[in-house]
Amino acid sequence: AGNRAATVPLFLAARACGLAWMPVDSGATAAEIAELEGRYGAAATVLQGERSATREALNADLVVGDRLAAATCYPAAAVMKLTSGSTDVPKATLTSEDQLVSDTTQLTAGMGLHPRDTQLAVIPLSHAYGLSVLLMPLLLQGTAIVLRETFAPDQLPLDAEQFAANSFPGVPLMFQHFLSKPPDRWPSSITRIQSAGAPLPLEVARRFRARFGVKVRSFYGTTESGGITYD
């Protein structure tokens, strides 16, 4: 479902029904989705609404077909988080609800995330990073998010100012972009910035802090374990 408001009730509905939920990147091709369906025995697939001409953009289409009889059950899993596939085909980890809650409790405490905070949600909610840092704090303690389907550099400062966002989880390429093409004015509301998903070059971190006056904090975790370290 991508970075859309519909992703939140979709996840909650899956939990209410005791279903394992496998979020897939919104850019996944039909062939990639079909391969995951077959490999993991999916009972149903939810696709973005624009793939159907009869649906509004924010709606989602539930595709069940005749797979229910062949569906595989994962009773202990709340989420089947997909690995990046950097060394092989993406694999799904079985993460229980207790593990999700424990990971989020540690992250919010370590990062100092509070219910009153507002986070810019430009990293994918379908990835382990976005799930742990954006979606779960929203559900567990009401930490608001400002959703964007993709990283829009010109829009991000405007979103931060309009919604008084103070937290920006990103990846190194985003910070490198702002250094090469600085906005006219960096939003003063943003006081927490973190980088994950790839190594953050020290020079980029130093230059960003010198240019914008905010430290980019490094966060490291794995799909299998959740959060590990945060500077």
Side-chain angles (χ1 to χ4, degrees), residues 11 15 20-23 77-81 93-96 100 131:
F11 175 47
R15 294 311 311 129
W21 181 60
M22 179 188 287
V79 176
M80 299 173 69
K81 296 185 289 185
T93 65
L94 305 183
T95 306
S96 70
L100 285 175
L131 174 68

Side-chain angles (χ1 to χ4, degrees), residues 1-12:
N3 276 28
R4 299 180 173 206
T7 296
V8 181
L10 173 62
F11 175 47
L12 293 175

